[in-house]
Amino acid sequence: MRAASSGGGAPFFVMDPLASDAPTDAFLSRRVPLAGRMRLIYAPLGDDAFSRYTGGRFRHFRQFCEGVLEPDSVALDIGANIGLTALVAAETARRGRIYAIEAAPRNFAALTRNVFEHGASVIRPIHCAVGPETGSVPFFDHSAFGYVVARENMTSVPSTSVPMRRLDDIADEVGLSRLDVIKIDIEGFEQEALTGAAGILARFQPVVMLEFNSWCQIASYDKSPRRFLEWLLATFPQLHIWRDGRLTDVRRLGVYEFLHLNLTRHRCNTDLIAAYAPDRLARLEALSAQGGLAGLRRRLGF
């Protein structure tokens, strides 16, 4: 493991995926289906989310990766948890680079072990939270649902201090010269993370997959989901729902219809795909067109 920092800020940590010193008794493990095959995966002891894992959760993420990544692509996996999404992405970007960024210390230990055990040398784990500024933040370490603790909640939520970095700073420090995809799932803190990525968003114009979780936005940060949605629409010319292997244009739905779907049918959790140019989504659009009744009719020649 090595520490890195810039401008005297708090260090973050990049773990060599070929060396893991975490004790084996710190984990639970079992074989689970992932990216088309069974894998032995490690998770922190007491990880309830992992104990309920069945494999279906990442099927649509694998389709996304196949639609937007190339074998030599570079991606940022923000909120990488124990490394499952990074391992899925590495199946497509097998000659590229996946920077797997995770704030929770116990998840990060499992992430580095999973990368090591599966020989995924294209994955580079980084330990830190991401946000609009450099420093340190309180973090609630809670399985797959950990989050940066808002200052006003510090006295009521148990937390541990972790380094926070801007994605722009991380990109500079690792010498990023290409960026194709950002996947971000950090329990309602997505806007803050993207604010700290303004430079790389403008420079590389990557495809962004993010979780829109209205419950987390309200409960953890007292934020307006509508304001966040309007910010996304103002920032990205392309904004789509990615669900069941299909893209749905958010602009065509409208703000009210999207929020109604998110709060009712999607149970507050919607995966969104954002991009600057439609050509970045061409293959994903083609995959989307193959799904559903319309795609079935086309394949049958009707």
Side-chain angles (χ1 to χ4, degrees), residues 16-20 37 39-42 86-87 90-91 93-94 97 111-125:
D16 181 350
L18 300 181
S20 176
R37 56 194 174 98
R39 303 187 192 225
L40 180 64
I41 296 294
Y42 293 85
L87 288 170
E91 289 289 309
R94 54 190 177 274
R97 179 72 72 228
L111 161 65
T112 57
R113 184 168 183 84
N114 286 325
V115 168
F116 168 73
E117 293 289 346
H118 291 282
S121 59
V122 303
I123 301 174
R124 289 290 184 267

Side-chain angles (χ1 to χ4, degrees), residues 104-265:
R106 296 191 309 139
N107 286 341
F108 184 72
L111 161 65
T112 57
R113 184 168 183 84
N114 286 325
V115 168
F116 168 73
E117 293 289 346
H118 291 282
S121 59
V122 303
I123 301 174
R124 289 290 184 267
I126 298 175
H127 178 220
C128 67
V130 296
E133 58 191 23
T134 295
S136 61
V137 290
F139 191 87
F140 178 44
D141 188 350
H142 180 52
S143 183
F145 313 107
Y147 58 91
V148 172
V149 179
R151 297 291 176 182
E152 57 270 23
N153 297 331
M154 285 180 60
T155 58
S156 59
V157 178
S159 62
T160 185
S161 179
V162 301
M164 173 180 279
R165 308 296 293 165
R166 298 189 319 137
L167 288 176
D168 283 345
D169 294 337
I170 293 174
D172 288 342
E173 288 153 356
V174 302
L176 209 64
S177 60
R178 171 179 178 176
L179 179 61
D180 301 284
V181 170
I182 298 176
K183 166 259 168 183
I184 180 166
D185 179 356
I186 50 176
E187 305 301 301
F189 208 62
E190 286 77 12
Q191 184 172 356
E192 287 80 359
L194 291 171
T195 298
I200 57 173
L201 289 174
R203 178 183 176 191
F204 299 112
Q205 298 196 349
V207 175
V208 179
M209 180 182 192
L210 70 146
E211 180 187 70
F212 188 98
N213 192 317
S214 54
W215 184 86
C216 286
Q217 294 165 41
I218 296 167
S220 298
Y221 304 108
D222 193 23
K223 289 164 46 179
S224 164
R226 176 177 173 175
R227 296 289 179 265
F228 180 38
L229 178 62
E230 291 171 341
W231 182 86
L232 289 170
L233 287 166
T235 302
F236 297 99
Q238 300 287 319
L239 190 66
H240 302 266
I241 296 170
W242 177 246
R243 193 173 182 85
D244 299 326
R246 291 190 292 275
L247 289 169
T248 303
D249 192 329
V250 174
R251 282 183 172 80
R252 291 185 180 179
L253 278 179
V255 170
Y256 288 101
E257 181 63 23
F258 171 83
L259 291 173
H260 184 264
L261 283 173
N262 173 259
L263 292 166
T264 57
R265 289 177 57 188

Side-chain angles (χ1 to χ4, degrees), residues 12-23:
F12 70 98
F13 297 95
V14 182
M15 177 72 81
D16 181 350
L18 300 181
S20 176
D21 56 3

Side-chain angles (χ1 to χ4, degrees), residues 24-35:
T24 57
D25 60 0
F27 306 108
L28 57 89
S29 65
R30 64 188 181 100
R31 294 191 177 276
V32 298
L34 189 70

